[in-house]
Amino acid sequence: MPELAEVDYFRKQWNPGLGQRIEKVLVHPKARIFRGIDTKRFVRALSGATLERSEARGKQMLFVAKEHGAKTKAWLGLHLGMTGKLRVEPPGFEPARHDHLVLVQSKRALVFDDPRLFGRVLFAEGATAPAWWSKLPPDLLSPAFTVQALADFLRRRARAPIKAVLLMQERFPGIGNWMADEILWRAAIHPKQPAGSLDTARLRVLYREIRAVCRNALRIIGRDWSDPPDSWLFNHRWQKGGTCPRTGAKLQHATIGGRTTCWSPGRQKLK
DNA sequence: TCCTATGTTGTATG
DNA sequence: ACATACAACATAGG
């Protein structure tokens, strides 16, 4: 499910637990989401700590916890993969099969569930944020993401289809399959268009639409999981016989960059 | 039974 | 070393 805006929506689901102590940590220690981390140490570090704050960057989330009087903090990174979710349950809650991580507090339980297990937990202890957090690429809505940065990246990926390039998190953190299609549809660029073949004018349009889709998705989906309006491709792309909300043409589908891709044939042409 | 799924990563190839 | 393509991961639902 989760791309930029959905991730921020799920992050906020744990807001009621901020400023509150973690009494107990329940894990399915062998679940794939814990690959590469020491779950015993992880549980020990978070137990008794107070959840201070959270942030989202692209598809990655950070939760910071600190034990009263301690010098170091516990840094909890969460990635939702394809099917991860964050939710809140009552404190006596019994984890079910897919509830792999539960932070139990006195008044609620914060639950991370992920049936397909493509998600991931990251963890570190220390006084400052770990590299896996501080080295993340700049947010697409920040001043550090410039037309020049976009142009440079596309030039290095010149022969790859633009759809595949937009999915690369090292430059487009938070963009996923539906956002990439939405951006290219708005920018009137064919998803198979080689990334290095866009002229300056089309590059500027692409830049503008990347930012617009991020901003609008956060405003609509990120705020309260509202449905985007029917003027977006979003509400048509998965429908059988779906049509373009701008041209009325039947939408086309193909696998591009390894992912199911949807576009409006009259509007998005190879050039 | 077979196909699909809003994601990443390891590996092979050029 | 870098760019590109694709199978693999695990589960549920149509």
Side-chain angles (χ1 to χ4, degrees), chain A residues 245-260:
Chain A
R246 295 208 189 173
T247 70
K250 189 170 183 305
L251 292 170
Q252 238 172 295
H253 298 267
T255 298
I256 301 172
R259 310 296 299 279
T260 298

Side-chain angles (χ1 to χ4, degrees), chain A residues 7-18 22 42 46 50-56 60-66 73-80 86-87 101 103 105 110-112 121-124 130 132-133:
Chain A
V7 168
D8 204 42
Y9 173 82
F10 282 126
R11 176 186 66 83
K12 290 184 282 189
Q13 296 310 105
W14 279 13
N15 277 353
L18 298 183
I22 298 163
F42 168 83
L46 286 175
T50 296
L51 207 51
E52 289 186 331
R53 64 188 176 86
S54 67
E55 284 179 69
Q60 187 71 43
M61 290 176 285
L62 175 70
F63 292 86
V64 186
K66 186 163 105 37
K73 303 183 182 212
W75 307 82
L76 168 63
L78 296 180
H79 191 292
L80 298 172
L86 301 189
R87 65 183 210 275
L101 169 64
L103 307 181
Q105 299 182 321
L110 309 175
V111 183
F112 173 21
V121 175
L122 297 173
F123 175 67
W132 51 254
W133 181 259

